[in-house]
Amino acid sequence: MRFYILVCLLLSSFASAQQSASAFDPAAKVATAQLLSTANGVNGASVLSMGLKITLDDEWKTYWSSPGLAGAPPSIDWQGSDNLANVEWLWPIPQRMMVYDVETYGYKHEVIYPLQVTVTDPSKALALQAKTTMLVCREVCIRAQVNLTLNLPATDPSIDKASSAQLQTYVTNVPVEISATSASLQQLGWDSTSSQLVIEVAGLTEPVVDGFVEGVDFTLFSRPEITQKEGVTRLIMAVEDMAGTPARLDPNQTLKVTLTSKEGGVSFTDNITPTIIEQTLPSWVYMLLLAIAGGFILNLMPCVLPVLSIKLLGVVESVSESNAQRRINFLLSAAGIFVAFWLLGLLFIGLKYFGIGFGWGVQFQSATFLLIMIPVLVLFALNLLDKFDVQLPQSLMDKISGSNKGHFYQGIFAVLLATPCSAPFLGTAVAFALAGSSWQIMVIFSGLAFGLSLPYLLIAMWPNSVKIMPKPGLWMVRFRQFLATLLCATLVWLVWLLQAHLTMLLWTLFSLIICAMVILLIVKPGPRTLVTTFTVYLLLANTIIWAPASVADLTGDNVASTSTSTIQWQAFEPEKIADYIAEGKTVFIDITADWCITCVVNERAVLQRSDIIKRLNADNVVAMKGDWTKPDKQIETYLKRHGRYAIPFNQVFGPALPQGKLLPELLTKEAVTVGLTQAGQ
């Protein structure tokens, strides 16, 4: 997808290259250019301070010396100039910009590129002929040329104060060579296993806020993770090619690195050296414990609790089973959980290898997956209500019964229902795993499996512990009805998720047919009714899958999702965050989805509180909401860039937190309040 977008951007720039060769097309009305000079005459100076000023309309952008995955920096052909010896370009620090899911580096609204102009004879006048080529982009790119002239007499002692003031701001933002400062490069290392670049610099006087790397074409160096310890600033960047897969750098590759602060920064050029980036904090033991804790908490989430309860209910009903048989049954369920998590891990490894986007719980974005899960839940619920008993061929019944596959499949089913839940600690552990290598993914997913299967394993170790449960009786009928109600609630939730993929008319029809099916199976249970109703369901599901309204526009524009709260949400547009910060505003980001239960809990328990609503609606706060109910490449890329593969995702930016601060998966009033306060300090 990223490659396709890059091709489109390149084609759009070539298509627009037929602009006038002598002047910028006035019909475009998106950019203007002019030459500035601090002095109104040469006055015997061998080097003059000048600048190329480009003014851009609205959201149009132009580029830095290294534009990123797309774009091109401006250039000037000085042919025809008189008394000109050399021109040195200086590049003010850029900002990260997004066009679709392609990251570029450059400037919006206005930029002045400082120019150090060397004259041939300081005693003579200077006549400049500047044939300027520039690429400006928004949804499309326009490549245009404009002819600029600037004539300075041999003597004129006056100073252009307006130009001097404008240039000074941008000259201050030009990074200086590290050799001209008290800082020193300690390491420029490349970890080929994790495709990460590590940079360590000592003696910096200003805190680093970002880092940019030049020297490799069509390669993206992510926004760095920045830490500081004992006077040494450490940056770690993930490196990808234009397809979004881990990149490979040549040994002894020469790179130019620019580290930026609030004003200016430092730059240096050096060769990379092989290294291994040690995982210090968070440590492996710590992250594995988080995975186990997150997996265990999943048992208490409304997605999974009915499955565990059904398992315990089955134990009480099977009073004749021996402890050995109970142990085997629970071990089989635990095995199903481990196998399901291992299969998920292998799936993520494959998707990562081929550069395909993925995330925790994203299968609930698929209408096909929902259509498969809905009848499964119907069968579970009706079975709890004793409304049907499907008779399979005796040979198959004997095979299933003898191998206890039902217990194994219960474990797999528990994992399927667990994936839309992002329990506390789970998101951190999953992000840590998916950002690492293949074996790291498998280890962390094994920890998640151990945590989710822990209740099963404990009962397998002490099968007599089930004796503390009440003896069989009428309470079991009532409890089965309660569990069936929970599963029906989950069923309603799955049907509701389908409305994101269907037209309202088709979704209403589908909902009514599902209700009719369930009522018919309850009122008139039996194999014939079951076969008839599910035949109708299969026909309906097939129609939905192939309906144009269902398969079209699954990646449509992401707008702020509707909410019952009164928060003034804006559409999720990460490219505008830097502009809001520059205006002194605080930005609160909430990425959610209808299938994310933890997101719903966060919204109702925290974000809908009157005091939080008041803070998010303040004049100096911008609240952005991204809806990931359906696939959205922009959201997927943003999460990946911040090392997250699961939602909920909440982040706060501000003048005091230009790099942003991630909030915990399970929000609290204190976490949101403290984050907003810190960002706006």
Side-chain angles (χ1 to χ4, degrees):
M1 181 63 179
R2 178 183 290 173
F3 178 77
Y4 172 76
I5 293 173
L6 284 169
V7 171
C8 291
L9 290 174
L10 289 173
L11 289 176
S12 70
S13 66
F14 292 146
S16 302
Q18 303 303 319
Q19 302 283 346
S20 170
S22 60
F24 186 84
D25 183 4
K29 295 182 179 179
V30 295
T32 58
Q34 68 178 115
L35 287 175
L36 303 178
S37 176
T38 58
N40 289 325
V42 178
N43 302 311
S46 58
V47 179
L48 299 173
S49 180
M50 297 187 181
L52 171 64
K53 180 180 180 180
I54 296 178
T55 305
L56 302 158
D57 287 354
D58 300 326
E59 295 300 314
W60 289 87
K61 316 168 184 68
T62 194
Y63 296 97
W64 187 51
S65 57
S66 178
L69 287 180
S75 62
I76 298 179
D77 182 356
W78 299 99
Q79 187 174 0
S81 298
D82 186 29
N83 197 28
L84 177 65
N86 184 54
V87 177
E88 179 186 0
W89 280 72
L90 302 178
W91 303 89
I93 60 174
Q95 58 180 293
R96 294 177 184 267
M97 307 180 299
M98 296 294 294
V99 178
Y100 300 103
D101 69 331
V102 177
E103 185 172 76
T104 58
Y105 315 133
Y107 315 92
K108 294 181 181 179
H109 307 309
E110 178 188 277
V111 61
I112 299 177
Y113 300 96
L115 306 173
Q116 295 295 309
V117 178
T118 303
V119 299
T120 304
D121 187 346
S123 64
K124 294 183 179 180
L126 174 66
L128 295 179
Q129 297 290 331
K131 187 177 181 180
T132 305
T133 302
M134 54 186 177
L135 185 71
V136 293
C137 298
R138 197 167 64 178
E139 287 81 11
V140 298
C141 293
I142 299 176
R143 185 182 181 186
Q145 293 179 338
V146 54
N147 285 346
L148 303 175
T149 60
L150 180 64
N151 298 311
L152 297 181
T155 56
D156 187 340
S158 63
I159 300 296
D160 190 329
K161 294 183 179 180
S163 296
S164 298
Q166 293 181 70
L167 266 170
Q168 183 59 36
T169 301
Y170 290 91
V171 170
T172 303
N173 278 332
V174 174
V176 299
E177 285 290 333
I178 196 171
S179 57
T181 70
S182 58
S184 61
L185 175 63
Q186 303 293 303
Q187 182 183 20
L188 180 60
W190 169 248
D191 186 341
S192 58
T193 302
S194 62
S195 296
Q196 289 182 312
L197 187 73
V198 58
I199 304 165
E200 292 184 351
V201 178
L204 292 172
T205 57
E206 294 289 333
V208 174
V209 298
D210 206 343
F212 302 90
V213 179
E214 304 172 71
V216 188
D217 294 331
F218 302 114
T219 302
L220 175 64
F221 293 80
S222 71
R223 183 184 291 273
E225 297 179 8
I226 305 173
T227 57
Q228 189 165 6
K229 184 178 181 181
E230 298 178 354
V232 176
T233 301
R234 190 173 196 245
L235 300 90
I236 296 179
M237 301 179 182
V239 187
E240 298 178 348
D241 59 25
M242 63 181 182
T245 57
R248 296 178 177 86
L249 299 185
D250 295 332
N252 300 317
Q253 173 77 50
T254 301
L255 299 177
K256 181 178 180 181
V257 179
T258 300
L259 306 182
T260 65
S261 55
K262 287 187 176 180
E263 290 187 357
V266 298
S267 63
F268 52 85
T269 302
D270 208 334
N271 295 336
I272 60 173
T273 56
T275 188
I276 297 177
I277 301 177
E278 298 180 358
Q279 301 290 349
T280 52
L281 288 177
S283 68
W284 263 105
V285 175
Y286 174 67
M287 295 308 299
L288 190 57
L289 290 176
L290 280 188
I292 294 172
F296 177 76
I297 294 175
L298 280 176
N299 285 288
L300 306 178
M301 303 297 283
C303 323
V304 186
L305 185 59
V307 180
L308 179 58
S309 301
I310 292 171
K311 184 71 176 178
L312 294 175
L313 183 62
V315 172
V316 177
E317 291 176 335
S318 303
V319 293
S320 60
E321 282 186 349
S322 64
N323 285 343
Q325 185 59 47
R326 289 195 186 114
R327 181 178 287 113
I328 291 173
N329 292 345
F330 277 91
L331 286 176
L332 284 170
S333 295
I337 291 173
F338 272 92
V339 169
F341 269 108
W342 288 338
L343 290 175
L344 279 177
L346 292 173
L347 174 63
F348 287 151
I349 290 171
L351 293 175
K352 187 175 182 180
Y353 178 80
F354 289 105
I356 301 173
F358 56 89
W360 182 259
V362 295
Q363 70 271 20
F364 282 82
Q365 295 175 343
S366 168
T368 303
F369 178 81
L370 296 175
L371 290 169
I372 293 173
M373 291 298 295
I374 286 171
V376 172
L377 283 181
V378 171
L379 291 174
F380 263 78
L382 293 176
N383 183 260
L384 286 172
L385 295 173
D386 293 323
K387 293 300 179 182
F388 79 95
D389 183 19
V390 180
Q391 295 295 325
L392 299 176
Q394 188 60 43
S395 59
L396 183 59
M397 291 290 291
D398 293 340
K399 187 176 180 180
I400 294 177
S401 175
S403 61
N404 293 303
K405 288 185 178 179
H407 300 283
F408 178 79
Y409 293 142
Q410 281 183 351
I412 294 178
F413 187 62
V415 175
L416 287 177
L417 286 181
T419 50
C421 297
S422 182
F425 315 130
L426 184 141
T428 304
V430 170
F432 180 79
L434 298 185
S437 60
S438 300
W439 70 269
Q440 292 170 337
I441 292 176
M442 296 305 294
V443 169
I444 292 298
F445 273 56
S446 296
L448 292 170
F450 180 77
L452 184 60
S453 64
L454 194 56
Y456 301 85
L457 295 174
L458 291 176
I459 295 177
M461 292 177 63
W462 295 287
N464 284 328
S465 60
V466 299
K467 294 181 179 180
I468 64 175
M469 298 184 67
K471 293 182 179 181
L474 182 61
W475 72 271
M476 292 174 56
V477 177
R478 299 289 181 259
F479 189 59
R480 288 174 68 94
Q481 293 172 348
F482 172 71
L483 293 178
T485 303
L486 290 181
L487 287 181
C488 286
T490 306
L491 174 64
V492 171
W493 168 62
L494 292 181
V495 173
W496 169 252
L497 293 182
L498 269 177
Q499 57 87 26
H501 302 276
L502 310 180
T503 62
M504 184 55 63
L505 178 62
L506 189 57
W507 177 76
T508 303
L509 176 63
F510 177 82
S511 302
L512 292 175
I513 292 179
I514 290 295
C515 291
M517 286 175 55
V518 173
I519 293 173
L520 182 61
L521 287 169
I522 292 176
V523 173
K524 191 178 180 181
R528 180 176 299 179
T529 306
L530 187 67
V531 171
T532 302
T533 53
F534 276 93
T535 299
V536 174
Y537 179 83
L538 287 174
L539 293 174
L540 178 62
N542 185 70
T543 302
I544 288 175
I545 291 174
W546 294 105
S550 304
V551 299
D553 200 30
L554 288 184
T555 57
D557 293 336
N558 176 45
V559 296
S561 60
T562 57
S563 173
T564 56
S565 70
T566 55
I567 298 175
Q568 298 172 3
W569 293 109
Q570 294 190 18
F572 178 65
E573 298 176 298
E575 67 275 8
K576 292 185 177 181
I577 294 175
D579 293 339
Y580 286 129
I581 295 174
E583 295 172 6
K585 293 184 178 181
T586 298
V587 180
F588 179 84
I589 293 177
D590 178 35
I591 297 180
T592 182
D594 291 346
W595 46 262
C596 173
I597 294 180
T598 312
C599 301
V600 177
V601 172
N602 284 343
E603 182 174 358
R604 295 184 179 179
V606 179
L607 298 182
Q608 289 186 4
R609 294 175 60 100
S610 58
D611 49 348
I612 297 297
I613 292 174
K614 183 177 180 180
R615 293 206 62 165
L616 293 179
N617 285 342
D619 292 338
N620 66 329
V621 177
V622 177
M624 287 187 180
K625 173 169 284 192
D627 189 353
W628 209 26
T629 301
K630 296 188 293 185
D632 188 299
K633 191 66 177 179
Q634 183 184 50
I635 291 177
E636 176 190 309
T637 303
Y638 188 83
L639 292 175
K640 185 178 179 181
R641 192 184 309 128
H642 288 82
R644 287 288 187 89
Y645 298 84
I647 54 174
F649 178 93
N650 294 97
Q651 191 176 23
V652 61
F653 292 85
L657 291 175
Q659 293 296 310
K661 176 183 179 180
L662 293 177
L663 302 182
E665 290 96 343
L666 194 60
L667 288 180
T668 63
K669 174 187 174 182
E670 181 181 7
V672 175
T673 303
V674 170
L676 292 172
T677 302
Q678 290 177 345
Q681 287 177 345

